[in-house]
């Protein structure tokens, strides 16, 4: 299914059909919310196949169901119809296999930076020394040395987001769902974090579903971009990005004309100005 | 109030001064009211007469026996009131089914004035610790319960969900999310509940329990010793402040104030 969808129309960019195993799958996924008698269709017939080691970015306008999709994959929301599968099995609840960075930054105000990062390790029963080592490693990775004993209210919004990412990353879940994790980070820090994130995922072979409303971010980070449209939330097109290597930088990307063309295309897609080029699955 | 760090120290000093100043003003007003140009001393005895009455009771040792008895009753009643209030508050806050089943009954019961139970409590428990414990529990339970239930239901759901995605279970959520998240409201419940507990205790002692500060006030009233009555009231007020500090403010300073999940008036606002 995905093999068809990941069919590129661009400059001979080779389709990223991988022999790797399928890790996450959405099959005819539909989800509606009912609030005060009114029904909202958040997701309408979404099909998606994500392979182990993929870095998938999901981009779309506000309200198109991105968070809903992430929550269904996390096992926090049960879809109205259709199936969400992890490793071939139906997702029936949350699990430490699928970590999540929440859009509303679910870090605990009563735990320090170190306490938040160590939380998952504590739950897993990791020995204290190992925990401290891992926390120190992550703290330096997110550039918060010296802030270990600060409480979240003493941090800036961007620092809090970095803590939220590290907290999820600490337990090394095979799948990491990130719901607009860099939204409150300044542009300069964001670039550093993005480059770091790419290196980290490649080095650790994580599967990442990264949600964003920024087309540039989606194109820069993703192996392929899932472009969504709102009301009802649908997958418009799955756009593969030519492999740039894990050492890619913003400078490389900006200079590449293929990337520029893809960005322009995705931008028009999510703005609803252009019909999808690849065949949209399920329709 | 967004006091900057440098001005915060000054503000704290000022707020401390304000407390002392208002106490001093009250003392002054009392002196004037109780002076020869004010009301007669059998209506409102002056600070010196009250101090003397307090010293008499204290030096005979009787006051401390009464204090000990009252504090013992209060602590026992408060322990039962706090633990049941928090327990039921958690159950109702966590389970919608329990909320529907239990809350209307508890709300209906909470409307009945505490003092109304005292004659019944005397009949059920006699004049021992059982009676005072029941009366204090009755005065305290509802406010601790209601605040705990409110606090538990107000915790941001995604905080609990984040623990699930970290592999945590129900117990992890209760311990690391619900309890600290509900702490500001639980502490408010304790603070209000403790003042209710004191009122209930003194009412119970006035109306029947042997010994204790309330009984001392009762006997002083029969002897028409208004100086002793006031000495008793002031003793209760001071004990109330000390106990509130030990049970609420001390805990709050080490938890919610430190985390910044509550603003602390005595520090000029934490935010
Ligand atoms: N708990 C809820 N109850 C009712 N409706 C909801 C709920 N959560 C989301 N919705 C609705 O579902 C739709 C999709 O919401 P969702 O949060 O998935 O969008 P999103 O793509 O993440 O948006 P954003 O980019 O603004 O975060 C929206 O129209 C929203 O109003
Ligand atoms: Mg969202």
């Amino acid at each position: 299914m995905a093999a068809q969808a990941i069919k590129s129309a661009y400059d001979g960019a080779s389709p990223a059909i991988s022999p790797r195993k399928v890790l996450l799958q959405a099959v005819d996924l539909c989800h509606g919310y009912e609030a005060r008698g009114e029904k909202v269709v958040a997701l309408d017939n979404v099909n998606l196949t994500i392979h182990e080691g993929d870095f998938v970015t999901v981009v779309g306008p506000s309200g198109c169901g991105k968070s809903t999709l992430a929550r269904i994959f996390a096992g926090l929301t049960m879809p109205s119809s259709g199936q969400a599968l992890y490793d071939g099995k139906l997702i029936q609840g949350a699990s430490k296999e699928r970590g999540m960075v929440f859009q509303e930054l679910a870090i605990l105000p009563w735990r320090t930076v170190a306490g938040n990062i160590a939380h998952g390790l504590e739950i897993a029963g990791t020995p204290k020394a190992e925990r401290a080592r891992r926390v120190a490693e992550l703290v330096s990775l997110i550039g918060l040395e010296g802030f270990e004993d600060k409480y979240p209210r003493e941090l800036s919004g961007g620092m809090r987001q970095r803590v939220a990412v590290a907290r999820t990353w600490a337990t090394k879940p095979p799948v990491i769902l990130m719901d607009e994790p860099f939204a409150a980070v300044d542009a300069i820090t964001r670039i550093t974090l993005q480059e770091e994130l790419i290196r980290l995922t490649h080095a650790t072979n994580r599967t990442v579903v990264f949600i964003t409303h920024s087309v540039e971010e989606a194109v820069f980070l993703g192996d392929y971009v899932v472009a969504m449209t709102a009301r009802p939330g649908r997958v418009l097109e799955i756009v593969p990005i030519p492999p740039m290597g894990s050492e890619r930088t913003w400078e490389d990307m900006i200079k590449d004309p293929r990337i520029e063309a893809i960005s322009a295309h995705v931008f028009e897609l999510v703005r609803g100005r252009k019909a999808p080029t690849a065949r949209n699955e399920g329709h | 109030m967004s006091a900057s760090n440098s001005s915060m120290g000054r503000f704290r000093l000022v707020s401390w001064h304000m407390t002392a100043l208002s106490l001093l003003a009250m003392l002054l007003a009392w002196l004037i009211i109780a002076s020869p140009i004010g009301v007669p001393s059998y209506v409102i005895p002056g600070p010196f007469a009250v101090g003397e009455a307090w010293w008499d009771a204290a030096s005979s040792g009787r006051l401390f026996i009464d204090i000990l008895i009252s504090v013992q009753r209060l602590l026992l009643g408060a322990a039962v009131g706090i633990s049941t209030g928090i327990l039921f508050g958690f159950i109702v806050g966590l389970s919608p089914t329990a909320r529907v089943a239990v809350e209307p009954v508890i709300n209906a019961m909470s409307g009945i004035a505490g003092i109304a139970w005292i004659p019944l409590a005397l009949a059920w428990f006699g004049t021992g610790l059982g009676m005072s414990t029941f009366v204090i529990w009755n005065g305290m339970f509802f406010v601790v319960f209601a605040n705990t239930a409110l606090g538990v239901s107000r915790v941001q759901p995604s905080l609990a969900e984040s623990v699930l995605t970290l592999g945590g279970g129900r117990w992890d959520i209760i311990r690391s999310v619900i309890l600290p998240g509900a702490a500001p409201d639980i502490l408010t419940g304790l603070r209000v509940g403790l003042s209710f507990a004191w009122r209930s205790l003194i009412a119970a002692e006035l109306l029947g329990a042997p010994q204790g500060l309330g009984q001392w006030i009762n006997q002083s009233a029969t002897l028409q010793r208004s100086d002793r009555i006031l000495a008793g009231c002031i003793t209760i007020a001071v004990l109330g402040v000390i106990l509130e500090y030990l049970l609420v403010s001390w805990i709050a300073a080490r938890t919610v104030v430190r985390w910044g999940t509550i603003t602390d008036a005595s520090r000029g606002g934490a935010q």
Side-chain angles (χ1 to χ4, degrees):
Chain A
M1 244 182 318
Q4 285 178 331
I6 306 171
K7 189 167 57 185
S8 173
Y10 302 101
D11 316 331
S14 59
I17 305 167
S18 53
R20 291 162 300 178
K21 79 168 171 182
V22 171
L23 206 55
L24 277 177
Q25 230 178 337
V27 182
D28 300 331
L29 215 56
C30 296
H31 192 73
Y33 290 103
E34 205 173 327
R36 280 174 278 125
E38 248 184 272
K39 266 196 128 150
V40 179
V41 180
L43 290 177
D44 183 31
N45 214 5
V46 168
N47 285 283
L48 206 58
T49 300
I50 296 166
H51 292 86
E52 190 170 36
D54 279 354
F55 197 121
V56 188
T57 52
V58 180
V59 67
S62 186
C64 71
K66 303 185 294 292
S67 296
T68 305
L69 183 64
R71 290 179 55 87
I72 289 173
F73 276 142
L76 296 169
T77 298
M78 292 302 134
S80 308
S81 71
Q83 295 180 323
L85 306 172
Y86 168 71
D87 204 7
K89 290 180 287 287
L90 200 63
I91 296 171
Q92 281 172 316
S95 144
K96 63 171 186 294
E97 315 260 69
R98 298 180 305 278
M100 171 122 167
V101 181
F102 290 77
Q103 184 168 16
E104 59 269 39
L105 284 193
I107 57 172
L108 303 179
W110 36 88
R111 277 179 176 249
T112 59
V113 168
N116 265 293
I117 297 175
H119 197 184
L121 300 168
E122 280 171 31
I123 290 171
T126 311
K128 209 168 176 179
E130 164 72 10
R131 221 156 63 200
R133 200 188 54 73
R134 182 103 183 101
V135 168
E137 192 183 294
L138 282 157
V139 163
S140 92
L141 193 73
I142 58 171
L144 284 184
E145 293 106 329
F147 289 88
E148 290 88 344
D149 297 327
K150 296 265 187 260
Y151 286 94
R153 68 152 172 137
E154 300 165 305
L155 305 176
S156 72
M159 287 164 144
R160 273 179 225 155
Q161 283 194 323
R162 284 182 265 164
V163 174
V165 172
R167 180 173 183 239
T168 304
W169 212 277
T171 49
K172 303 184 178 169
V175 171
I176 298 174
L177 305 154
M178 304 175 92
D179 195 353
E180 307 199 17
F182 300 151
V185 182
D186 68 277
I188 297 156
T189 311
R190 179 156 52 221
I191 290 174
T192 318
L193 287 175
Q194 286 167 344
E195 290 174 356
E196 209 54 65
L197 186 61
I198 291 171
R199 235 155 296 177
L200 200 65
T201 14
H202 279 259
T204 56
N205 196 32
R206 288 301 111 118
T207 307
V208 177
V209 178
F210 189 102
I211 289 164
T212 176
H213 57 246
S214 154
V215 171
E216 287 86 0
E217 189 170 55
V219 171
F220 176 66
L221 287 174
D223 297 331
Y224 50 93
V225 177
V226 176
M228 291 184 72
T229 177
R231 270 171 278 276
R234 285 201 181 117
V235 174
L236 265 184
E237 187 179 331
I238 296 168
V239 184
I241 311 295
M244 302 287 290
S246 63
E247 297 298 317
R248 80 188 84 155
T249 61
W250 266 101
E251 289 80 359
D252 298 342
M253 298 286 277
I254 295 166
K255 280 185 214 136
D256 195 317
R258 293 176 303 172
I259 298 298
E260 202 178 318
I262 292 172
S263 294
H265 176 67
V266 174
F267 200 73
E268 290 189 341
L269 276 176
V270 298
R271 291 197 70 188
R273 294 248 176 101
K274 191 173 181 179
T277 36
R279 197 177 67 85
N280 193 10
E281 320 169 75
H283 290 278
Chain B
M1 270 177 289
S2 55
S4 73
N5 261 340
S6 58
S7 72
M8 238 166 85
R10 212 182 71 212
F11 187 86
R12 201 183 308 186
L13 202 68
V14 170
S15 76
W16 190 88
H17 279 188
M18 290 301 284
T19 310
L21 213 67
S22 75
L23 279 176
L24 221 65
M26 263 173 66
L27 194 67
L28 202 72
W30 184 11
L31 270 170
I32 292 167
I33 291 167
S35 73
I37 57 161
V39 293
S41 68
Y42 61 85
V43 179
I44 297 181
F48 298 108
V50 171
E52 219 175 285
W54 192 88
W55 181 248
D56 278 350
S59 53
S60 75
R62 134 132 228 211
L63 181 67
F64 295 106
I65 294 168
D66 281 327
I67 287 178
L68 221 64
I69 288 167
S70 285
V71 168
Q72 189 194 353
R73 284 174 180 154
L74 189 99
L75 287 179
L76 188 64
V80 178
I82 291 169
S83 51
T84 55
I86 290 179
L87 182 72
F88 279 84
F90 260 83
I91 293 171
V92 163
L94 289 173
S95 151
T97 323
R99 177 176 290 266
V100 175
V102 177
E103 213 175 32
V105 181
I106 293 184
N107 284 344
M109 297 250 308
S110 76
I112 304 168
I115 295 176
W117 291 100
I118 293 176
L120 264 181
L122 277 166
W124 293 341
F125 300 103
T127 56
L129 266 179
M131 190 274 275
S132 63
T133 304
F134 173 78
V135 172
I136 293 169
W137 172 83
N138 186 65
M140 203 175 182
F141 170 77
F142 300 99
V143 60
V144 176
F145 161 79
N147 278 281
T148 305
L150 175 74
V152 167
S153 63
R154 277 209 296 205
V155 176
Q156 190 188 324
S158 63
L159 294 183
E161 289 173 344
S162 77
V163 175
L164 290 177
T165 63
L166 288 175
R170 230 181 140 72
W171 174 241
D172 292 302
I173 292 176
I174 289 177
R175 204 167 43 104
S176 60
V177 176
I178 309 287
L179 190 62
D185 288 310
I186 295 176
L187 288 170
T188 302
L190 291 195
R191 184 167 280 152
V192 181
L194 271 181
S195 72
F196 283 10
W198 276 106
R199 289 181 215 182
S200 308
L201 169 68
I202 301 306
E205 289 178 343
L206 275 170
L207 293 179
Q211 296 185 289
L213 286 168
Q215 194 47 245
W216 188 48
I217 291 175
N218 188 31
Q219 287 163 12
S220 309
T222 343
L223 300 172
Q224 299 195 320
R225 289 286 302 273
S226 43
D227 53 343
R228 275 216 221 156
I229 296 178
L230 274 181
C233 289
I234 291 170
T235 310
I236 291 165
V238 171
L239 283 176
V241 169
I242 294 173
L243 224 69
E244 194 274 347
Y245 178 80
L246 290 178
L247 289 181
V248 184
S249 296
W250 191 86
I251 296 173
R254 273 150 196 81
T255 55
V256 292
V257 175
R258 186 153 164 237
W259 305 328
T261 54
I262 200 175
T263 48
D264 177 15
S266 73
R267 300 221 179 143
Q271 283 294 310

